[in-house]
């Protein structure tokens, strides 16, 4: 959609380019006034409003506009346009408010959280965002509590969403363990993270054009510093050998995780099931839609818990 500015029409993306070009010849204050004028004289669609307010926040920060004044302006524009009952917009608005100051996002989330139905992707995503803000604010205990709520609400989503969100939740839990210098916590949730990373790859299995592209998580021995946490440091703190732990993970990927998907007969290294070529296994294109998401997710967690006890 196009919007007017001084007898010309612009899409928001084009107007943002116009502002950038104007900065080459005009003062920042003049360009900021152009932006303010553009916002005040137009009625935007929601996505366009978010985009132009995002630029307004960036410019306001550069001129050191007080956060209270900035929030009041942005909030007035959001309330004027957005549907208060449209829960699909809440995460996007929260992210915008977070750019101003974290407290505005947290207050907005707290006020609107009950409007989002439980056990939905929308609820889990906004809780994840809240947890991330709490982590930024060094409120690890509160963040961990929110992540537990996220985890409890991730069992009955679309299977791709459940597994990917579980992976992200356990990633953040592992990072909290590292931040709190609790190696046992860091290692434990890192293992869950790895298991769900592998599980996401299993979901890709039936849809690959070339099965050579199928990947389970790689060895952690070669580049441990590139992992989400300093896994080598935490293993040493608990007197675990990284090579033994890596072998444990590989066994988990190859032998245990397939059980959660009832794919026990898959040979991951050759991509065959029993004696059949993968080309003949066309039924896998619809196989995963028949699985119970809760059962798959719960089984993965049970497997990891059991195998961790055996490893320790």
């Amino acid at each position: 959609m196009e919007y007017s500015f001084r007898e010309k029409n612009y899409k928001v993306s084009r107007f943002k380019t116009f502002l950038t070009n104007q900065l080459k010849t005009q003062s920042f204050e003049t360009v900021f006034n152009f932006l303010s004028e553009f916002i005040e004289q137009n009625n935007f669609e929601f996505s366009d409003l978010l985009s132009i307010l995002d630029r307004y926040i960036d410019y306001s920060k550069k001129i050191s506009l007080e956060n209270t004044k900035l929030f009041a302006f942005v909030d007035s524009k959001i309330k004027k346009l957005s549907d208060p009952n449209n829960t699909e917009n809440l995460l996007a608005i929260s992210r915008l408010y977070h750019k101003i100051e974290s407290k505005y996002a947290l207050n907005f989330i707290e006020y609107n959280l009950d409007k989002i139905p439980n056990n939905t992707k929308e609820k889990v995503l906004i809780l994840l965002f809240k947890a991330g803000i709490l982590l930024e604010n060094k409120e690890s205990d509160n963040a961990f509590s929110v992540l537990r709520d996220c985890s409890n609400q991730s069992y009955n989503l679309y299977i791709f969403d459940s597994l990917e969100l579980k992976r992200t939740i356990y990633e953040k839990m592992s990072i909290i363990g590292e931040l709190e210098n609790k190696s046992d916590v860091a290692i434990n949730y890192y293992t869950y993270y790895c298991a769900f990373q592998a599980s996401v790859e299993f979901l890709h299995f039936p849809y690959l054009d070339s099965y050579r592209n199928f990947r389970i998580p790689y060895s952690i021995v070669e580049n441990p510093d590139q992992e989400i946490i300093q896994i080598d440091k935490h293993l040493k703190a608990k007197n675990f050998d990284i090579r033994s732990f890596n072998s444990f993970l590989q066994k988990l990927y190859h032998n245990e995780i397939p059980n959660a998907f009832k794919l026990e007969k898959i040979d991951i290294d050759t991509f065959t099931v029993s004696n059949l070529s993968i080309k003949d296994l066309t039924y896998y294109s619809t196989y995963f839609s028949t699985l119970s998401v809760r059962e798959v997710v719960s089984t993965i967690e049970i497997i990891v818990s059991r195998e961790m006890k055996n490893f320790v």
Side-chain angles (χ1 to χ4, degrees), residues 106-270:
L106 289 173
N107 290 340
F108 180 77
I109 291 170
E110 202 62 35
Y111 181 79
N112 291 283
L113 196 58
D114 289 341
K115 296 177 182 177
I116 308 175
N118 288 330
N119 304 303
T120 60
K121 182 180 180 181
E122 290 74 20
K123 189 65 166 274
V124 175
L125 284 174
I126 203 162
L127 285 171
L128 268 174
F129 185 64
K130 179 181 179 181
I133 297 174
L134 292 171
L135 270 177
E136 288 177 6
N137 294 346
K138 303 186 185 305
E139 298 180 49
S140 295
D141 288 345
N142 290 335
F144 200 88
S145 177
V146 173
L147 289 171
R148 284 192 181 279
D149 192 6
C150 285
S151 184
N152 291 335
Q153 297 200 43
S154 299
Y155 286 97
N156 288 320
L157 310 179
Y158 179 52
I159 191 166
F160 280 92
D161 294 333
S162 282
L163 296 181
E164 288 181 341
L165 289 169
K166 278 284 187 177
R167 176 186 60 186
T168 302
I169 291 164
Y170 285 125
E171 176 184 10
K172 291 184 180 295
M173 285 181 165
S174 179
I175 290 170
I176 289 175
E178 177 158 277
L179 292 173
E180 295 290 299
N181 202 27
K182 297 177 179 177
S183 291
D184 53 343
V185 174
I187 294 168
N188 184 57
Y189 289 113
Y190 173 81
T191 307
Y192 280 96
Y193 158 79
C194 288
F196 278 97
Q197 174 64 33
S199 299
V200 170
E201 293 296 336
F202 274 106
L203 285 189
H204 297 157
F205 187 80
Y207 307 109
L208 295 172
D209 293 328
S210 171
Y211 286 86
R212 295 175 186 172
N213 294 329
F214 179 69
R215 293 289 183 271
I216 57 174
Y218 50 84
S219 167
I220 64 171
V221 173
E222 287 79 10
N223 298 293
D225 294 339
Q226 296 181 12
E227 298 301 314
I228 60 169
I229 59 171
Q230 298 178 60
I231 187 61
D232 196 18
K233 182 189 80 169
H234 295 294
L235 290 169
K236 288 178 180 177
K238 304 304 292 185
N239 295 315
F240 294 143
D241 176 67
I242 191 171
R243 293 186 181 278
S244 297
F245 185 69
N246 185 65
S247 296
F248 159 75
L249 289 178
Q250 296 302 319
K251 177 178 177 290
L252 192 67
Y253 306 149
H254 283 77
N255 302 336
E256 303 299 335
I257 297 299
N259 295 333
F261 295 93
K262 306 186 189 306
L263 299 175
E264 298 92 336
K265 296 181 180 180
I266 278 188
D267 183 332
I268 291 178
D269 297 316
T270 60

Side-chain angles (χ1 to χ4, degrees), residues 18-47:
F18 164 78
L19 293 175
T20 300
N21 290 334
Q22 288 299 305
L23 285 171
K24 297 174 183 177
T25 57
Q26 304 282 351
S27 69
F28 191 87
E29 181 180 341
T30 298
V31 176
F32 183 74
N33 288 336
F34 288 164
L35 175 58
S36 300
E37 181 182 337
F38 182 67
I39 292 172
E40 291 290 2
Q41 72 182 25
N42 287 288
N43 294 316
F44 296 92
E45 293 184 347
F46 181 73
S47 60

Side-chain angles (χ1 to χ4, degrees), residues 57-104:
I57 291 170
D58 288 341
Y59 282 14
S60 296
K61 293 285 185 179
K62 288 182 179 179
I63 64 171
S64 300
L65 184 67
E66 292 179 12
N67 283 345
T68 52
K69 293 181 179 179
L70 175 55
F71 174 74
F73 178 84
V74 172
D75 188 53
S76 68
K77 300 304 176 186
I78 291 292
K79 286 180 176 176
K80 180 180 177 182
L81 178 62
S82 64
D83 178 0
N85 296 316
N86 188 350
T87 58
E88 294 179 0
N89 296 337
L90 297 183
L91 180 58
I93 296 172
S94 299
R95 286 173 172 157
L96 193 70
Y97 288 163
H98 181 244
K99 286 197 67 172
I100 301 172
E101 192 175 343
S102 64
K103 69 177 182 180
Y104 297 120

